[in-house]
Amino acid sequence: MLTVKDQLLSVAEQLDPARWKGTDMWQVNLQDIGIDSIAYIHFIVAVEQQLQIEMPDELLDFGKFQTLEEIGNYIERLTA
């Protein structure tokens, strides 16, 4: 079974592989690589589909999570 981290990285890479090239995908600041609020929401929707869960509205706050690691840690706490 894939971990939350594996699934988040897979979704991110599938949505926009060029954006992530040459980065530490797990720890790069999302805004530093050009992720805006629209791309962020698109990513969250794709994650919901991949993980088959519904994210709380709190996760939709683009400014609250700076990295995939922060998003992953949040999801792991939710699903524990």
Coordinates of all heavy atoms in Angstrom, one line a residue:
M1 N 0.8 -1.2 0.0 CA 0.0 0.0 0.0 C 0.9 1.3 0.0 O 1.9 1.3 0.7 CB -0.9 0.0 1.2 CG -1.8 1.1 1.3 SD -3.0 0.8 2.7 CE -3.7 2.4 2.8
L2 N 0.5 2.2 -0.8 CA 1.3 3.4 -0.9 C 1.1 4.3 0.3 O 0.0 4.4 0.8 CB 0.9 4.2 -2.2 CG 1.3 3.5 -3.5 CD1 0.7 4.4 -4.7 CD2 2.8 3.4 -3.7
T3 N 2.1 5.0 0.7 CA 2.0 5.9 1.8 C 1.4 7.2 1.3 O 1.3 7.5 0.1 CB 3.4 6.3 2.4 OG1 4.1 7.0 1.4 CG2 4.1 5.0 2.8
V4 N 0.9 8.1 2.2 CA 0.4 9.4 1.9 C 1.4 10.2 1.1 O 1.1 10.8 0.1 CB -0.1 10.1 3.1 CG1 -0.4 11.6 2.8 CG2 -1.3 9.5 3.8
K5 N 2.7 10.1 1.5 CA 3.7 10.8 0.9 C 3.8 10.4 -0.6 O 3.9 11.2 -1.5 CB 5.1 10.6 1.6 CG 6.2 11.3 0.9 CD 7.6 11.0 1.6 CE 8.7 11.7 0.9 NZ 10.0 11.5 1.7
D6 N 3.9 9.0 -0.8 CA 4.0 8.5 -2.2 C 2.8 9.0 -3.0 O 3.0 9.3 -4.2 CB 4.0 7.0 -2.1 CG 5.3 6.4 -1.5 OD1 6.3 7.1 -1.5 OD2 5.2 5.3 -1.0
Q7 N 1.7 9.0 -2.5 CA 0.5 9.4 -3.3 C 0.5 10.9 -3.6 O 0.2 11.3 -4.7 CB -0.8 9.0 -2.5 CG -0.9 7.4 -2.5 CD -2.2 7.0 -1.8 OE1 -3.3 7.2 -2.4 NE2 -2.1 6.5 -0.6
L8 N 0.9 11.7 -2.6 CA 1.0 13.1 -2.9 C 2.0 13.4 -3.9 O 1.8 14.3 -4.8 CB 1.3 13.9 -1.6 CG 0.2 14.0 -0.5 CD1 0.7 14.7 0.7 CD2 -1.0 14.7 -1.1
L9 N 3.1 12.8 -3.8 CA 4.2 13.0 -4.8 C 3.7 12.6 -6.2 O 4.0 13.3 -7.2 CB 5.5 12.3 -4.4 CG 6.2 12.9 -3.2 CD1 7.3 12.0 -2.8 CD2 6.6 14.3 -3.3
S10 N 3.1 11.5 -6.3 CA 2.6 11.0 -7.6 C 1.6 11.9 -8.2 O 1.6 12.2 -9.4 CB 1.9 9.6 -7.3 OG 1.3 9.1 -8.5
V11 N 0.6 12.4 -7.4 CA -0.4 13.3 -7.9 C 0.3 14.6 -8.4 O 0.0 15.1 -9.5 CB -1.5 13.7 -6.8 CG1 -2.3 14.8 -7.2 CG2 -2.3 12.4 -6.5
A12 N 1.2 15.2 -7.6 CA 1.9 16.4 -8.0 C 2.6 16.2 -9.3 O 2.5 17.1 -10.2 CB 2.8 16.8 -6.9
E13 N 3.3 15.1 -9.4 CA 4.1 14.9 -10.6 C 3.2 14.7 -11.8 O 3.5 15.1 -12.9 CB 5.0 13.7 -10.4 CG 6.1 13.6 -11.5 CD 7.2 12.7 -11.1 OE1 6.9 11.6 -10.5 OE2 8.4 13.0 -11.3
Q14 N 2.1 14.0 -11.7 CA 1.1 13.8 -12.8 C 0.5 15.1 -13.3 O 0.3 15.2 -14.4 CB 0.1 12.8 -12.3 CG 0.5 11.4 -12.2 CD -0.5 10.5 -11.6 OE1 -1.7 10.8 -11.7 NE2 -0.1 9.3 -11.1
L15 N 0.2 16.0 -12.3 CA -0.5 17.2 -12.7 C 0.4 18.2 -13.5 O 0.0 18.8 -14.4 CB -1.0 17.9 -11.5 CG -2.2 17.3 -10.8 CD1 -2.6 18.0 -9.5 CD2 -3.4 17.2 -11.7
D16 N 1.7 18.2 -13.1 CA 2.6 19.2 -13.7 C 4.0 18.8 -13.5 O 4.8 19.4 -12.7 CB 2.4 20.6 -13.1 CG 3.0 21.7 -13.9 OD1 3.8 21.4 -14.8 OD2 2.7 22.9 -13.5
P17 N 4.5 17.8 -14.3 CA 5.8 17.3 -14.1 C 7.0 18.3 -14.3 O 8.0 18.3 -13.6 CB 5.9 16.1 -15.1 CG 4.8 16.3 -16.0 CD 3.8 17.1 -15.3
A18 N 6.8 19.2 -15.2 CA 7.8 20.2 -15.4 C 8.1 21.1 -14.2 O 9.2 21.5 -14.0 CB 7.5 21.0 -16.7
R19 N 7.0 21.4 -13.5 CA 7.2 22.3 -12.4 C 8.0 21.7 -11.3 O 8.7 22.5 -10.6 CB 5.8 22.7 -11.8 CG 5.8 23.7 -10.7 CD 4.4 24.0 -10.2 NE 3.4 24.3 -11.1 CZ 3.1 25.5 -11.5 NH1 3.7 26.5 -11.0 NH2 2.1 25.7 -12.4
W20 N 8.0 20.5 -11.1 CA 8.7 19.8 -10.0 C 10.1 19.4 -10.4 O 10.9 19.0 -9.5 CB 7.9 18.6 -9.6 CG 6.5 19.0 -9.1 CD1 5.4 18.9 -9.8 CD2 6.2 19.5 -7.9 NE1 4.3 19.3 -9.1 CE2 4.8 19.7 -7.9 CE3 6.9 19.8 -6.7 CZ2 4.1 20.2 -6.8 CZ3 6.2 20.3 -5.6 CH2 4.8 20.5 -5.6
K21 N 10.5 19.4 -11.7 CA 11.8 18.9 -12.1 C 12.9 19.7 -11.4 O 12.9 20.9 -11.3 CB 11.9 19.1 -13.6 CG 13.1 18.4 -14.2 CD 13.1 18.5 -15.7 CE 14.2 17.6 -16.2 NZ 13.9 16.9 -17.4
G22 N 13.8 18.9 -10.8 CA 15.0 19.5 -10.2 C 14.7 20.0 -8.8 O 15.5 20.7 -8.2
T23 N 13.6 19.6 -8.2 CA 13.3 20.1 -6.8 C 13.2 18.9 -5.9 O 13.0 17.8 -6.3 CB 11.9 20.8 -6.8 OG1 10.9 19.9 -7.0 CG2 11.8 21.9 -7.8
D24 N 13.3 19.2 -4.6 CA 13.0 18.3 -3.6 C 11.5 18.4 -3.4 O 11.0 19.3 -2.6 CB 13.7 18.6 -2.3 CG 13.3 17.7 -1.1 OD1 12.4 16.9 -1.3 OD2 13.9 17.9 0.0
M25 N 10.7 17.6 -4.1 CA 9.3 17.8 -4.2 C 8.6 17.8 -2.8 O 7.6 18.5 -2.6 CB 8.6 16.7 -5.0 CG 8.9 16.7 -6.5 SD 8.3 15.3 -7.4 CE 6.5 15.6 -7.2
W26 N 9.1 17.1 -1.9 CA 8.5 17.0 -0.6 C 8.7 18.2 0.3 O 7.8 18.6 1.1 CB 9.1 15.8 0.1 CG 8.3 15.3 1.4 CD1 8.8 15.2 2.6 CD2 6.9 14.9 1.5 NE1 7.8 14.8 3.5 CE2 6.7 14.6 2.8 CE3 5.9 14.9 0.5 CZ2 5.4 14.2 3.2 CZ3 4.6 14.5 1.0 CH2 4.4 14.1 2.3
Q27 N 9.8 19.0 0.1 CA 10.0 20.1 0.9 C 10.1 21.5 0.2 O 10.2 22.5 0.9 CB 11.3 19.9 1.7 CG 11.2 18.7 2.6 CD 12.4 18.5 3.5 OE1 13.5 18.9 3.1 NE2 12.2 17.9 4.6
V28 N 10.0 21.5 -1.1 CA 10.1 22.8 -1.8 C 8.8 23.6 -1.4 O 7.7 23.1 -1.3 CB 10.2 22.6 -3.3 CG1 8.9 22.0 -3.9 CG2 10.6 23.9 -4.0
N29 N 9.1 24.9 -1.3 CA 8.0 25.8 -1.0 C 7.1 25.9 -2.3 O 7.6 26.2 -3.3 CB 8.5 27.2 -0.6 CG 7.4 28.2 -0.3 OD1 6.6 28.6 -1.1 ND2 7.4 28.6 1.0
L30 N 5.8 25.7 -2.1 CA 4.9 25.7 -3.3 C 4.9 27.0 -4.0 O 4.9 27.0 -5.3 CB 3.5 25.3 -2.8 CG 3.4 23.9 -2.1 CD1 2.0 23.7 -1.6 CD2 3.8 22.8 -3.1
Q31 N 4.9 28.1 -3.3 CA 4.9 29.4 -4.0 C 6.2 29.6 -4.7 O 6.2 30.3 -5.8 CB 4.6 30.5 -3.0 CG 3.2 30.4 -2.5 CD 2.9 31.5 -1.5 OE1 3.7 32.3 -1.1 NE2 1.6 31.5 -0.9
D32 N 7.3 29.1 -4.2 CA 8.6 29.3 -4.9 C 8.7 28.7 -6.2 O 9.5 29.1 -7.1 CB 9.7 28.8 -4.0 CG 10.0 29.7 -2.8 OD1 9.4 30.8 -2.7 OD2 10.8 29.2 -1.9
I33 N 7.8 27.7 -6.5 CA 7.9 27.0 -7.8 C 6.6 27.4 -8.6 O 6.3 26.8 -9.6 CB 8.0 25.5 -7.7 CG1 6.8 24.9 -6.9 CG2 9.3 25.1 -7.1 CD1 6.7 23.4 -7.0
G34 N 6.0 28.5 -8.2 CA 4.9 29.0 -9.0 C 3.5 28.5 -8.8 O 2.6 28.7 -9.6
I35 N 3.3 27.7 -7.7 CA 2.0 27.2 -7.5 C 1.2 28.4 -6.9 O 1.5 29.1 -6.0 CB 2.0 26.1 -6.4 CG1 2.9 24.9 -6.8 CG2 0.6 25.7 -6.0 CD1 2.3 24.1 -7.9
D36 N 0.0 28.7 -7.6 CA -0.9 29.7 -7.1 C -2.1 29.1 -6.5 O -2.2 27.8 -6.4 CB -1.2 30.7 -8.3 CG -1.9 30.0 -9.4 OD1 -2.4 28.8 -9.3 OD2 -2.0 30.6 -10.5
S37 N -3.1 29.9 -6.1 CA -4.2 29.3 -5.4 C -5.1 28.4 -6.3 O -5.6 27.4 -5.8 CB -5.1 30.5 -4.8 OG -5.5 31.3 -5.9
I38 N -5.1 28.7 -7.6 CA -5.9 27.9 -8.5 C -5.2 26.5 -8.6 O -5.9 25.5 -8.6 CB -6.1 28.5 -9.8 CG1 -6.8 29.9 -9.7 CG2 -6.8 27.6 -10.8 CD1 -8.2 29.8 -9.2
A39 N -3.9 26.5 -8.9 CA -3.2 25.2 -9.0 C -3.3 24.4 -7.7 O -3.4 23.2 -7.7 CB -1.7 25.5 -9.4
Y40 N -3.2 25.1 -6.6 CA -3.3 24.5 -5.3 C -4.6 23.7 -5.1 O -4.7 22.6 -4.7 CB -3.1 25.5 -4.2 CG -3.2 24.9 -2.8 CD1 -2.2 24.2 -2.2 CD2 -4.3 25.1 -2.0 CE1 -2.3 23.7 -1.0 CE2 -4.4 24.6 -0.8 CZ -3.4 23.9 -0.2 OH -3.5 23.3 1.0
I41 N -5.7 24.4 -5.4 CA -7.1 23.8 -5.3 C -7.2 22.6 -6.3 O -7.7 21.6 -5.9 CB -8.2 24.8 -5.6 CG1 -8.1 26.0 -4.5 CG2 -9.5 24.2 -5.6 CD1 -8.4 25.5 -3.1
H42 N -6.7 22.8 -7.5 CA -6.7 21.7 -8.4 C -5.9 20.5 -7.9 O -6.4 19.3 -8.0 CB -6.1 22.2 -9.7 CG -6.1 21.2 -10.8 ND1 -7.3 20.8 -11.5 CD2 -5.2 20.5 -11.5 CE1 -7.1 19.9 -12.4 NE2 -5.8 19.7 -12.4
F43 N -4.8 20.7 -7.2 CA -4.0 19.7 -6.6 C -4.8 19.0 -5.5 O -4.9 17.8 -5.4 CB -2.7 20.2 -6.1 CG -1.9 19.3 -5.2 CD1 -1.3 18.2 -5.8 CD2 -1.9 19.4 -3.8 CE1 -0.5 17.3 -5.0 CE2 -1.2 18.5 -3.1 CZ -0.5 17.4 -3.6
I44 N -5.4 19.8 -4.6 CA -6.2 19.2 -3.5 C -7.3 18.3 -4.0 O -7.6 17.3 -3.4 CB -6.7 20.3 -2.5 CG1 -5.5 21.0 -1.9 CG2 -7.7 19.8 -1.5 CD1 -4.6 20.2 -1.0
V45 N -8.0 18.8 -5.0 CA -9.1 18.0 -5.6 C -8.6 16.6 -6.1 O -9.2 15.6 -5.9 CB -9.9 18.8 -6.7 CG1 -10.8 17.9 -7.5 CG2 -10.6 19.9 -6.1
A46 N -7.4 16.7 -6.8 CA -6.8 15.5 -7.3 C -6.4 14.5 -6.2 O -6.5 13.3 -6.3 CB -5.6 15.8 -8.2
V47 N -5.9 15.1 -5.1 CA -5.5 14.3 -3.9 C -6.8 13.7 -3.3 O -6.7 12.5 -2.9 CB -4.8 15.2 -2.9 CG1 -4.6 14.5 -1.5 CG2 -3.4 15.6 -3.4
E48 N -7.8 14.4 -3.2 CA -9.1 13.8 -2.7 C -9.5 12.6 -3.5 O -9.9 11.6 -2.9 CB -10.2 14.9 -2.7 CG -10.1 15.9 -1.6 CD -11.2 16.9 -1.7 OE1 -11.6 17.3 -2.8 OE2 -11.7 17.3 -0.6
Q49 N -9.4 12.7 -4.8 CA -9.8 11.6 -5.6 C -8.8 10.4 -5.5 O -9.2 9.3 -5.4 CB -9.8 12.1 -7.1 CG -10.9 13.1 -7.4 CD -10.8 13.7 -8.7 OE1 -9.8 13.6 -9.4 NE2 -11.9 14.4 -9.1
Q50 N -7.5 10.7 -5.4 CA -6.5 9.7 -5.3 C -6.7 8.9 -3.9 O -6.6 7.7 -3.9 CB -5.1 10.3 -5.4 CG -4.0 9.3 -5.1 CD -3.7 8.3 -6.2 OE1 -4.0 8.6 -7.4 NE2 -3.2 7.2 -5.9
L51 N -6.9 9.7 -2.9 CA -7.0 9.1 -1.5 C -8.4 8.7 -1.2 O -8.6 8.0 -0.1 CB -6.4 10.0 -0.5 CG -5.0 10.5 -0.6 CD1 -4.6 11.5 0.4 CD2 -4.1 9.2 -0.5
Q52 N -9.3 9.0 -2.0 CA -10.8 8.7 -1.8 C -11.2 9.3 -0.4 O -11.8 8.5 0.4 CB -11.0 7.3 -1.9 CG -10.7 6.8 -3.3 CD -11.0 5.3 -3.5 OE1 -11.4 4.6 -2.6 NE2 -10.8 4.8 -4.7
I53 N -10.9 10.5 -0.1 CA -11.3 11.2 1.1 C -11.8 12.6 0.7 O -11.5 13.1 -0.4 CB -10.2 11.3 2.1 CG1 -9.0 12.1 1.6 CG2 -9.7 9.9 2.6 CD1 -7.9 12.3 2.6
E54 N -12.5 13.2 1.6 CA -12.9 14.6 1.4 C -12.2 15.4 2.4 O -12.2 15.2 3.6 CB -14.4 14.8 1.7 CG -14.9 16.1 1.3 CD -16.4 16.3 1.4 OE1 -17.1 15.3 1.1 OE2 -16.9 17.4 1.6
M55 N -11.5 16.4 1.9 CA -10.6 17.3 2.8 C -11.5 18.3 3.5 O -12.4 18.8 2.9 CB -9.6 18.0 2.0 CG -8.7 17.1 1.2 SD -7.6 16.2 2.2 CE -6.5 15.5 1.0
P56 N -11.2 18.6 4.7 CA -11.9 19.7 5.4 C -11.5 21.0 4.7 O -10.5 21.2 4.1 CB -11.4 19.6 6.8 CG -10.2 18.8 6.8 CD -10.2 18.0 5.6
D57 N -12.4 22.0 4.9 CA -12.2 23.3 4.3 C -10.9 24.0 4.7 O -10.3 24.7 4.0 CB -13.3 24.3 4.6 CG -14.6 23.9 3.9 OD1 -14.5 23.1 2.9 OD2 -15.7 24.4 4.2
E58 N -10.4 23.6 5.9 CA -9.2 24.1 6.4 C -8.0 23.9 5.5 O -7.1 24.7 5.4 CB -8.9 23.5 7.8 CG -7.7 24.0 8.5 CD -7.5 23.3 9.9 OE1 -8.2 22.3 10.2 OE2 -6.7 23.8 10.6
L59 N -8.0 22.7 4.8 CA -6.9 22.4 3.9 C -7.0 23.2 2.6 O -6.0 23.3 1.9 CB -7.0 20.9 3.6 CG -5.8 20.3 2.8 CD1 -4.5 20.4 3.7 CD2 -6.0 18.8 2.6
L60 N -8.1 23.8 2.4 CA -8.2 24.7 1.2 C -7.5 26.0 1.3 O -7.4 26.8 0.4 CB -9.6 24.8 0.8 CG -10.4 23.5 0.5 CD1 -11.8 23.8 0.2 CD2 -9.7 22.8 -0.6
D61 N -7.1 26.4 2.5 CA -6.4 27.6 2.8 C -5.0 27.6 2.2 O -4.1 27.0 2.8 CB -6.4 27.9 4.3 CG -5.7 29.3 4.6 OD1 -5.2 29.9 3.7 OD2 -5.8 29.6 5.8
F62 N -4.8 28.2 1.1 CA -3.5 28.1 0.4 C -2.3 28.6 1.2 O -1.2 28.1 1.1 CB -3.6 28.9 -1.0 CG -2.4 29.0 -1.8 CD1 -1.7 27.8 -2.1 CD2 -1.9 30.2 -2.2 CE1 -0.5 27.9 -2.9 CE2 -0.7 30.2 -3.0 CZ -0.1 29.1 -3.3
G63 N -2.6 29.6 2.0 CA -1.5 30.2 2.8 C -1.1 29.4 4.0 O -0.1 29.6 4.6
K64 N -1.9 28.4 4.4 CA -1.6 27.6 5.6 C -0.6 26.5 5.4 O 0.1 26.2 6.3 CB -2.9 27.0 6.1 CG -2.8 26.2 7.4 CD -4.1 25.8 7.9 CE -3.9 25.1 9.2 NZ -5.0 25.0 10.1
F65 N -0.4 26.0 4.2 CA 0.5 24.9 3.9 C 1.5 25.4 2.9 O 1.1 25.7 1.8 CB -0.3 23.7 3.4 CG -1.3 23.2 4.4 CD1 -2.6 23.6 4.3 CD2 -0.9 22.4 5.5 CE1 -3.6 23.2 5.2 CE2 -1.9 22.0 6.4 CZ -3.2 22.4 6.3
Q66 N 2.7 25.3 3.2 CA 3.8 25.8 2.3 C 4.5 24.7 1.5 O 5.1 25.0 0.5 CB 4.9 26.5 3.2 CG 4.4 27.7 4.0 CD 3.8 28.8 3.1 OE1 4.4 29.2 2.2 NE2 2.6 29.2 3.5
T67 N 4.4 23.4 2.0 CA 5.0 22.3 1.3 C 4.1 21.1 1.2 O 3.1 21.0 1.9 CB 6.3 21.9 2.1 OG1 5.9 21.4 3.3 CG2 7.3 23.1 2.2
L68 N 4.5 20.2 0.3 CA 3.8 18.9 0.3 C 3.9 18.2 1.6 O 3.0 17.5 2.1 CB 4.3 18.1 -0.9 CG 4.0 18.6 -2.3 CD1 4.5 17.5 -3.3 CD2 2.5 18.8 -2.5
E69 N 5.1 18.3 2.3 CA 5.3 17.7 3.5 C 4.3 18.1 4.6 O 3.7 17.3 5.3 CB 6.7 18.0 4.0 CG 7.0 17.3 5.4 CD 8.5 17.5 5.8 OE1 9.0 18.6 5.5 OE2 9.0 16.6 6.5
E70 N 4.0 19.4 4.6 CA 3.0 20.0 5.6 C 1.6 19.4 5.3 O 0.9 19.1 6.2 CB 3.0 21.5 5.5 CG 4.3 22.1 6.1 CD 4.3 23.6 6.0 OE1 3.3 24.2 5.5 OE2 5.3 24.2 6.4
I71 N 1.3 19.4 4.0 CA 0.0 18.8 3.6 C -0.1 17.3 3.9 O -1.1 16.9 4.5 CB -0.2 19.0 2.1 CG1 -0.3 20.5 1.7 CG2 -1.5 18.3 1.6 CD1 -0.2 20.8 0.2
G72 N 1.0 16.6 3.7 CA 1.0 15.2 4.0 C 0.9 14.9 5.5 O 0.1 14.0 5.9
N73 N 1.6 15.7 6.3 CA 1.5 15.5 7.8 C 0.1 15.8 8.2 O -0.5 15.1 9.1 CB 2.5 16.4 8.5 CG 3.9 16.0 8.3 OD1 4.2 14.9 7.9 ND2 4.8 17.0 8.4
Y74 N -0.6 16.8 7.7 CA -1.9 17.1 8.0 C -2.9 16.0 7.7 O -3.7 15.6 8.5 CB -2.4 18.4 7.3 CG -3.7 18.9 7.7 CD1 -4.0 19.6 8.8 CD2 -4.8 18.6 6.8 CE1 -5.3 20.1 9.1 CE2 -6.1 19.0 7.1 CZ -6.3 19.8 8.3 OH -7.6 20.2 8.6
I75 N -2.7 15.5 6.5 CA -3.6 14.3 6.0 C -3.4 13.1 6.9 O -4.3 12.4 7.2 CB -3.4 14.0 4.5 CG1 -3.9 15.2 3.7 CG2 -4.0 12.7 4.1 CD1 -3.5 15.1 2.2
E76 N -2.1 12.8 7.2 CA -1.8 11.7 8.1 C -2.5 11.8 9.4 O -3.0 10.8 10.0 CB -0.3 11.5 8.2 CG 0.3 10.9 7.0 CD 1.8 10.8 7.1 OE1 2.4 11.3 8.0 OE2 2.3 10.1 6.2
R77 N -2.5 13.0 10.0 CA -3.2 13.2 11.3 C -4.7 13.0 11.1 O -5.4 12.5 12.0 CB -2.9 14.6 11.8 CG -1.5 14.8 12.4 CD -1.4 16.1 13.2 NE -1.6 17.3 12.4 CZ -0.7 17.9 11.7 NH1 0.5 17.4 11.6 NH2 -1.1 19.0 11.0
L78 N -5.3 13.5 10.0 CA -6.7 13.3 9.8 C -7.1 11.8 9.6 O -8.2 11.5 10.0 CB -7.1 14.0 8.5 CG -7.3 15.5 8.5 CD1 -7.6 16.0 7.1 CD2 -8.3 15.9 9.4
T79 N -6.3 11.1 9.0 CA -6.6 9.7 8.7 C -6.1 8.7 9.7 O -6.3 7.5 9.5 CB -6.1 9.3 7.3 OG1 -4.7 9.5 7.2 CG2 -6.8 10.2 6.2
A80 N -5.5 9.2 10.7 CA -4.9 8.2 11.7 C -6.0 7.7 12.6 O -7.1 8.2 12.8 CB -3.9 9.0 12.6

